[in-house]
Amino acid sequence: MAPSYVLAIDQGTTSTRALLFTKDGHPMSKEQLDLEQHYPHPGWAEHDPKEILNAVVTCCQHAMEKGNAHTTDIAAIGITNQRETTVAWDRVTGEPYHKAIVWLDTRTTETVGKLIHGTGGQDRFRATTGLPISTYFSAVKMKWLIDNVPEVKKGVDEKRCMFGTIESWLIYNLTGGKNGGLHMTDISNASRYMLMDIKTGKWDPTICKELGIPMECLPEIRSNAEVYGKVKGYGSLNGIPIAGALGDQHAALLGQGCLEVGKSKNTYGTGCFMLLNTGAQAVQSSSGLLTTIGFKLGANAQTNYALEGSVACAGRTVQWLRDNMGLIDSAPEIEQFASAVSDTGGVTIVPAFSGLFAPYWREDARAVAVGMTLFTNKNHLCRAALEAVAFSTVDVMEAMKKDFGKDLGAMHVDGGMTANNFLMQLQADLLGCEVLRARMPEATVLGAAFAAGLAVDFYHRVDEVKDMLGHAGGWESFPNKMNMSLRDKEYARWKDAVTRAMDLQRFDSMEKKKKKAAGAHRYILSIDQGTTSSRALLFDVEGGAVAKEQMELKQHYPHPGWTEHDPNEILNSVVKCCESVLKQAGAKPGEVAAIGITNQRETTVAWDRVTGKPYNKAIVWLDTRTAETVQKLTQGAKGGKDRFRETTGLPVSTYFSAVKMKWLIDNVPAVKQGVADKRCMFGTIESWLIYNLTGGKEGGIHMTDISNASRYMLMDIKSGKWDQGICKELGIDVACLPTIKSNSEVYGTVKGFGSLDGIPIAGALGDQHAALLGQGCIEVGSSKNTYGTGCFMLLNTGSEAIPSTSGLLTTIGFKLGAEAKTYYALEGSVACAGRTVQWLRDNMGLIDSAAEVETLAKSVENTGGVTIVPAFSGLFAPYWREDARAVAVGMTLYTSREHICRAALESVAFSTVDVMEAMKKDTGRDLGNMHVDGGMTANNFLMQLQADLLGVDVLRARMPEATVLGAAFAAGLAVGFYKKLDDVKDMLRKAGGWESFPAQMNFNDRMIEYTRWKDAVNRAMDLNQFETGTEDPKKGSSATSLAESKKPSSQAVAPKAAPAPAAAAPAAKGKKGGWKFW
């Protein structure tokens, strides 16, 4: 009986498969086994050759069993395989010397660097081989094995070493192994060694000699369709001829029926590979493509050549999101998440985990995710990951157009990812041409089966493959639906991101480089209203926290870059927390001496004087919707961003309250009307709270304290009063602003809040000023850093307001009484610290709790070359770049969530180093030890990392509530509950003093690490230009008025894409003299 099937083996990067094909090309049965991936170091990727062989045999036998096929039913075996993946084994024992080095492995970067140094550079072998010198190809992997694995070197010297790619390893073993197995490769796989003369189809002795690879170690080159030998020693497979072998992409070219010159296909697998049939002509590329073999279907047949564009990571990017990041549970799930959003929210992922292949050929590139904001969630990242695959294909198509000199028409596609309809439509849109998906899903392995079948006359004509595709249903069309203007805009965003991914390999594995009381009053009630929660603590006369309560605060992100809070929710949570702590402590009426308030600064509320209702949600300090407002204020103005700095101590930035007020006036009609009617009241959070707690619309006090007022960008830093000129220029009526008071005096008493009624409110400070006081930094020259939602470092400069030339802020420290001395400070503000960890938890789902980040971060020795710059809302000090957005750079397939967690903590520490360096420039002196407080200081790993990267000792107060203690202390001083300023130090000592984290890193290592950070910061700049909104504001957003009025005029104007703002403030040009405090 004549054979009924061809057995085809598909040995891929992530799995091994076997399929039985009938005479009409129908896959009768199949079997698949996943392949374990080994990533021993960043950039390295390995497979176990024996696991591959065993999986192939198992899959073949199971496929035959499922199809009820016997040995005599099989006409031949065809093999298709992952290309370039390299094995070295012993001719005598048959055992591999080393795990297989996978095609996308980049350990050979240094080898490549040495080879391209000199005449011809990267293209020195291209005229002969059709290939550039790259980590991608087998020859450099062989050279690395010879140079770095002693057993391989010895095997080469003794002429026992055999090199080959996966089909060579399989055919050798299946035809007898050490007992006479064939050592051969097919011409398509051989064309990927970077050793074969593309025109003669033979090994080039000159290149082999130059690379130190003896030709006797290389396999014999055969065509893609001829009987190579028969299976021996594998049971039911014995005696079956092996008659076809092609690299996976060449098999797909054949299996897609791309037989004519000018036909192209793109395969979406682990990587993404586009081949264009150029017929008998080997077309040399000048656009970063590869000249390669298409196929040769017989020993004496014509050789068909091809142009190829190879993309390293396609399905592997999805696999990384699933296995490394845990953002999806299965690969198909990505389509659901990606299609849930209308765009990426400005996020672009360049998946250069193993460098960039065609058309760039940059081994130094590493994966980046750029343009992130606090609006970014996993849906956006999933969509950006699919966009990355599509954009990579556009890069290759554009290069092919240049080399071929004409448009290529429709593109045929195959591979696992083509099941994703969303991706296929996206691909058509971004290419601007029709995409044709074969309804035969097994084009690649069909190509291998077809080649083997031709060799044994199971199939008879080359064009039979088209009949097979027709029998399977032909092709499904995805037409282009995107206009050229939008396509060009999207492609420009991609190209920008690609440039940001370059030159990151130098930061891979830095570790490798380094080896070369008062009467009846018993308590002070202190309110801590922060960015992510509201808290209340009850302190006793010794500064001990008797009771505490906390409530999480809902975050609103209506558009990219926007962050809002509900003012009513804030007020209600504060009251509930206060009532809870009084109840916990059993505090009786009259036992609370005063209330102190500390708060998130700059967050701005506008409310109606008559109704007491807010016009709009509060605009949070890190919100960047005002980028366009900032640009208008700075562009062409004398002094630019520093036009108000001499008066206010601050640059013009989205950070400060004044631009938020101006935005509200310009964009929320109800606010504009309220200002015109003199009904609008502006304030920051302490103003809103004090107004409501002291009576609200029934006589509530409209005030702010001098520390919060110093953050409006409206207050004269020297006089402590609103500057009429700046207010007028910004269109902000001074009548709408609160009265400025000191940080420690009785402002009024609580009215209308039950158990709180009658308690005097006697202290208020912005959170960072409260921490300066609560940390006991009361002497000139002492400094503290608070790690909360953001990260804020303040240096007490005493009675001198020092202008900064290094990107810092001149601000108020504290003023403890209406007639007291004003203490000034230099401040460096970092937008995202704890917020970065929160983003990992809430947006990305990489951790279940904030505390988990420490465990994961310290489980790895380093970040594996990954650097995160958490510019979700731009970069604050010392850069002041609203155009920056978050990036994660330097990722490889080795990168795991542990590395991401460590990089996140490093970003907090590096941001603090930036600020410390700026402070050194402004003061002309080293600052000595740094006092720290805030929730993140509980992370011992971060504290030691901070000390190491700063190069100074970090002192953590054993009193964990320094910020809220500062507010309590200010209020207590005002009512005599606490007596003198240095009482705060006694409280800290009684709480256990300070725990020291000494610096342990040497200077050179610190500089290497800091260089990596500074490089990544540069890559985060100028990304806001790619932000896009994903919600139609006309359908309503949280920017809609919260007032009782239901008029349409109370809605905010829809956001506009903000142009890139003016350049950041200039760096320091010298030391600031005249300030002596040591």
Side-chain angles (χ1 to χ4, degrees):
M1 182 181 292
S4 303
Y5 308 110
V6 170
L7 176 60
I9 295 166
D10 178 13
Q11 203 302 298
T13 312
T14 58
S15 69
T16 299
R17 304 193 305 150
L19 289 85
L20 276 183
F21 282 92
T22 63
K23 268 200 174 278
D24 63 0
H26 174 68
M28 183 69 180
S29 64
K30 66 178 73 174
E31 184 62 78
Q32 179 169 342
L33 288 170
D34 285 340
L35 180 61
E36 184 177 358
Q37 310 296 306
H38 301 270
Y39 305 122
H41 302 289
W44 293 34
E46 298 179 343
H47 290 161
D48 183 339
K50 287 189 168 182
E51 180 192 354
I52 288 174
L53 175 62
N54 293 337
V56 163
V57 172
T58 300
C59 286
C60 287
Q61 291 173 339
H62 287 183
M64 289 173 64
E65 289 169 8
K66 288 181 177 180
N68 197 27
H70 302 288
T71 304
T72 55
D73 295 325
I74 311 299
I77 292 173
I79 299 174
T80 185
N81 57 283
Q82 54 170 314
R83 304 172 301 170
E84 298 95 15
T85 296
T86 303
V87 189
W89 67 96
D90 190 285
R91 190 184 305 272
V92 178
T93 67
E95 294 293 317
Y97 292 116
H98 191 273
K99 282 192 170 67
I101 301 178
V102 180
W103 57 274
L104 46 66
D105 183 289
T106 60
R107 75 186 68 189
T108 57
T109 300
E110 189 174 341
T111 303
V112 167
K114 291 177 180 177
L115 288 173
I116 65 177
H117 185 71
T119 305
Q122 194 168 26
D123 290 333
R124 62 186 295 193
F125 303 141
R126 190 187 278 272
T128 302
T129 67
L131 309 177
I133 299 173
S134 168
T135 60
Y136 187 15
F137 304 114
S138 302
V140 290
K141 304 181 197 301
M142 295 174 190
K143 181 168 176 56
W144 187 92
L145 286 165
I146 294 169
D147 293 344
N148 292 275
V149 180
E151 295 84 356
V152 175
K153 176 68 166 64
K154 185 179 180 187
V156 168
D157 292 342
E158 295 176 356
K159 303 187 185 303
R160 290 175 53 159
C161 178
M162 304 174 89
F163 285 121
T165 38
I166 294 299
E167 84 296 339
S168 298
W169 168 250
L170 292 176
I171 293 170
Y172 167 79
N173 282 282
L174 291 174
T175 57
K178 65 181 179 180
N179 297 313
L182 298 173
H183 188 207
M184 62 146 286
T185 184
D186 68 273
I187 193 168
S188 67
N189 276 295
S191 71
R192 317 297 293 184
Y193 277 44
M194 202 181 75
L195 294 173
M196 188 188 85
D197 187 316
I198 197 76
K199 296 182 180 69
T200 65
K202 298 179 180 179
W203 302 125
D204 184 89
T206 303
I207 298 176
C208 290
K209 183 177 181 180
E210 189 165 346
L211 296 184
I213 300 171
M215 290 176 63
E216 59 265 27
C217 295
L218 298 176
E220 178 189 0
I221 301 173
R222 308 278 288 269
S223 78
N224 300 115
E226 58 179 286
V227 176
Y228 310 129
K230 295 183 178 180
V231 179
K232 297 177 185 176
Y234 288 96
S236 59
L237 302 179
N238 283 351
I240 302 174
I242 302 174
L246 302 94
D248 49 8
Q249 305 315 314
H250 315 266
L253 188 70
L254 179 61
Q256 277 274 26
C258 297
L259 308 176
E260 297 87 9
V261 176
K263 293 293 184 180
S264 66
K265 71 86 202 177
N266 198 33
T267 299
Y268 299 76
T270 301
C272 202
F273 304 88
M274 187 172 177
L275 268 72
L276 172 69
N277 188 332
T278 63
Q281 183 181 5
V283 177
Q284 288 293 335
S285 174
S286 59
S287 306
L289 301 179
L290 310 178
T291 304
T292 192
I293 297 295
F295 44 78
K296 183 181 182 181
L297 299 177
N300 298 312
Q302 173 188 298
T303 300
N304 281 65
Y305 292 94
L307 277 174
E308 176 174 338
S310 309
V311 175
C313 292
R316 177 53 60 91
T317 305
V318 177
Q319 186 181 22
W320 182 80
L321 288 178
R322 182 192 68 191
D323 299 344
N324 294 45
M325 297 296 103
L327 292 182
I328 54 176
D329 294 324
S330 66
E333 192 178 17
I334 194 172
E335 181 172 9
Q336 171 191 340
F337 289 129
S339 58
V341 288
S342 59
D343 53 56
T344 67
V347 177
T348 310
I349 290 175
V350 180
F353 298 106
S354 306
L356 285 169
F357 286 9
Y360 304 102
W361 299 107
R362 290 288 295 266
E363 283 84 9
D364 64 311
R366 287 295 177 268
V368 299
V370 302
M372 294 179 286
T373 71
L374 289 169
F375 176 80
T376 304
N377 59 37
K378 68 177 181 179
N379 294 341
H380 296 111
L381 289 186
C382 287
R383 186 179 179 114
L386 294 185
E387 278 195 359
V389 177
F391 277 129
S392 298
T393 299
V394 175
D395 279 339
V396 173
M397 175 72 90
E398 290 300 310
M400 283 191 173
K401 288 179 184 178
K402 291 179 184 177
D403 283 339
F404 201 56
K406 62 174 80 173
D407 286 342
L408 305 185
M411 186 176 74
H412 293 78
V413 299
D414 68 287
M417 290 189 81
T418 62
N420 186 320
N421 290 329
F422 178 81
L423 172 60
M424 292 299 95
Q425 185 57 57
L426 184 66
Q427 186 67 86
D429 292 343
L430 294 176
L431 282 173
C433 72
E434 185 181 21
V435 166
L436 299 175
R437 178 174 65 191
R439 288 191 166 92
M440 151 60 75
E442 301 292 359
T444 299
V445 69
L446 173 63
F450 189 68
L454 282 174
V456 296
D457 210 31
F458 187 77
Y459 304 120
H460 306 292
R461 308 183 326 272
V462 176
D463 59 2
E464 277 185 70
V465 72
K466 290 190 176 183
D467 297 334
M468 296 175 187
L469 292 169
H471 292 323
W475 290 265
E476 182 177 0
S477 173
F478 293 85
N480 165 47
K481 298 179 181 179
M482 184 180 287
N483 66 59
M484 182 180 293
S485 175
L486 179 57
R487 186 160 58 249
D488 289 346
K489 181 180 178 183
E490 291 293 275
Y491 193 43
R493 170 168 63 87
W494 165 257
K495 296 294 279 187
D496 175 272
V498 168
T499 63
R500 298 172 192 269
M502 304 300 188
D503 195 28
L504 279 165
Q505 178 270 338
R506 59 197 169 106
F507 299 120
D508 277 358
S509 190
M510 281 295 187
E511 291 302 306
K512 186 188 294 185
K513 297 177 182 178
K514 293 173 188 173
K515 289 176 181 179
K516 316 195 173 180
H521 293 148
R522 300 178 58 192
Y523 308 113
I524 293 288
L525 175 58
S526 191
I527 295 166
D528 177 13
Q529 202 301 298
T531 313
T532 58
S533 68
S534 296
R535 303 196 304 150
L537 285 84
L538 207 58
F539 286 94
D540 62 22
V541 73
E542 294 185 343
V546 176
K548 66 177 71 174
E549 185 60 85
Q550 180 169 349
M551 292 181 68
E552 294 289 325
L553 183 60
K554 185 176 181 180
Q555 311 294 306
H556 301 268
Y557 307 120
H559 303 288
W562 292 34
T563 308
E564 297 178 343
H565 290 161
D566 183 338
N568 289 321
E569 181 192 354
I570 288 175
L571 175 61
N572 293 335
S573 65
V574 164
V575 172
K576 287 179 181 178
C577 287
C578 289
E579 290 174 339
S580 177
V581 294
L582 294 181
K583 185 176 181 180
Q584 288 176 42
K588 299 174 183 177
E591 289 186 332
V592 179
I595 293 173
I597 298 174
T598 185
N599 58 282
Q600 53 169 315
R601 304 171 301 169
E602 298 96 16
T603 296
T604 302
V605 188
W607 67 96
D608 190 284
R609 191 184 304 272
V610 178
T611 67
K613 300 291 184 180
Y615 292 115
N616 194 81
K617 281 192 169 69
I619 301 179
V620 179
W621 55 275
L622 42 66
D623 182 287
T624 59
R625 75 186 70 186
T626 56
E628 187 174 350
T629 304
V630 168
Q631 187 187 30
K632 289 178 180 177
L633 288 171
T634 57
Q635 196 169 45
K638 185 179 179 181
K641 281 197 173 188
D642 290 333
R643 59 182 300 193
F644 304 139
R645 188 186 279 271
E646 186 176 352
T647 302
T648 67
L650 311 176
V652 180
S653 168
T654 60
Y655 187 17
F656 305 114
S657 303
V659 291
K660 303 181 197 301
M661 295 174 190
K662 180 169 175 55
W663 187 93
L664 287 165
I665 294 169
D666 293 344
N667 292 276
V668 182
V671 175
K672 184 175 182 179
Q673 188 63 48
V675 171
D677 295 343
K678 299 195 182 299
R679 288 176 56 160
C680 178
M681 305 175 90
F682 285 121
T684 38
I685 295 300
E686 84 296 339
S687 298
W688 168 250
L689 292 175
I690 293 171
Y691 167 81
N692 282 281
L693 291 173
T694 57
K697 64 180 180 179
E698 305 298 334
I701 298 169
H702 187 208
M703 62 144 288
T704 183
D705 69 273
I706 193 169
S707 66
N708 276 296
S710 71
R711 316 298 293 186
Y712 278 44
M713 202 183 73
L714 294 173
M715 189 188 85
D716 186 316
I717 197 76
K718 298 183 179 66
S719 70
K721 297 179 181 179
W722 301 125
D723 184 89
Q724 300 283 343
I726 297 175
C727 290
K728 183 177 181 180
E729 188 161 350
L730 297 184
I732 299 170
D733 191 336
V734 176
C736 297
L737 299 176
T739 302
I740 302 173
K741 298 202 172 187
S742 77
N743 301 114
S744 181
E745 59 179 287
V746 176
Y747 312 128
T749 57
V750 179
K751 297 176 185 176
F753 288 94
S755 59
L756 303 178
D757 283 1
I759 303 175
I761 302 174
L765 303 93
D767 49 9
Q768 304 316 314
H769 314 266
L772 189 70
L773 179 60
Q775 277 275 25
C777 297
I778 53 180
E779 295 90 7
V780 177
S782 53
S783 65
K784 71 88 202 174
N785 198 32
T786 298
Y787 299 76
T789 301
C791 202
F792 304 88
M793 187 172 177
L794 269 72
L795 172 69
N796 187 329
T797 63
S799 58
E800 185 180 1
I802 295 180
S804 175
T805 59
S806 306
L808 301 179
L809 309 178
T810 304
T811 192
I812 297 294
F814 44 78
K815 183 180 182 182
L816 299 176
E819 304 301 325
K821 166 186 173 182
T822 300
Y823 284 77
Y824 292 94
L826 277 173
E827 175 174 340
S829 308
V830 175
C832 292
R835 176 54 60 89
T836 305
V837 177
Q838 185 182 23
W839 183 80
L840 290 179
R841 182 193 67 191
D842 299 342
N843 292 46
M844 298 295 103
L846 292 182
I847 53 176
D848 295 323
S849 66
E852 188 181 7
V853 76
E854 179 175 12
T855 303
L856 294 173
K858 67 183 182 183
S859 70
V860 288
E861 293 183 0
N862 52 57
T863 68
V866 177
T867 310
I868 290 175
V869 181
F872 298 105
S873 306
L875 284 170
F876 286 8
Y879 304 101
W880 299 108
R881 291 287 295 264
E882 284 84 10
D883 63 309
R885 286 297 177 268
V887 300
V889 304
M891 295 180 286
T892 70
L893 287 168
Y894 173 81
T895 303
S896 65
R897 66 174 183 152
E898 289 82 359
H899 296 110
I900 296 294
C901 288
R902 185 176 180 119
L905 293 185
E906 278 196 359
S907 75
V908 176
F910 278 129
S911 297
T912 298
V913 176
D914 278 340
V915 173
M916 175 73 90
E917 291 301 309
M919 286 189 173
K920 289 180 184 178
K921 289 179 183 177
D922 280 340
T923 64
R925 304 288 293 272
D926 286 340
L927 304 186
N929 299 333
M930 187 176 75
H931 293 78
V932 299
D933 68 286
M936 291 190 80
T937 62
N939 186 321
N940 290 331
F941 177 80
L942 172 60
M943 292 300 95
Q944 185 57 57
L945 185 66
Q946 186 67 87
D948 290 343
L949 293 177
L950 282 173
V952 301
D953 289 359
V954 166
L955 302 176
R956 177 176 66 191
R958 289 191 166 91
M959 152 60 74
E961 302 291 357
T963 299
V964 70
L965 174 63
F969 188 69
L973 282 175
V975 296
F977 189 77
Y978 302 123
K979 305 300 181 184
K980 58 186 189 301
L981 184 55
D982 59 3
D983 278 353
V984 71
K985 289 193 171 182
D986 294 335
M987 294 175 189
L988 293 168
R989 291 188 191 97
K990 288 175 182 176
W994 292 265
E995 184 177 0
S996 175
F997 292 85
Q1000 298 175 354
M1001 184 181 287
N1002 67 56
F1003 178 81
N1004 286 338
D1005 290 349
R1006 191 159 59 249
M1007 289 302 99
I1008 290 172
E1009 294 289 277
Y1010 192 44
T1011 299
R1012 171 167 62 87
W1013 164 257
K1014 297 294 280 188
D1015 174 273
V1017 168
N1018 288 335
R1019 297 171 193 269
M1021 303 302 187
D1022 194 28
L1023 279 166
N1024 76 329
Q1025 60 180 308
F1026 301 116
E1027 282 183 354
T1028 53
T1030 60
E1031 180 178 314
D1032 183 356
K1034 294 179 182 178
K1035 295 180 181 177
S1037 78
S1038 53
T1040 303
S1041 169
L1042 296 175
E1044 293 176 331
S1045 169
K1046 297 182 180 179
K1047 296 179 181 179
S1049 62
S1050 65
Q1051 286 194 335
V1053 175
K1056 294 183 282 187
K1069 296 181 179 177
K1071 297 178 180 178
K1072 177 69 182 176
W1075 182 46
K1076 307 290 184 184
F1077 52 74
W1078 278 271

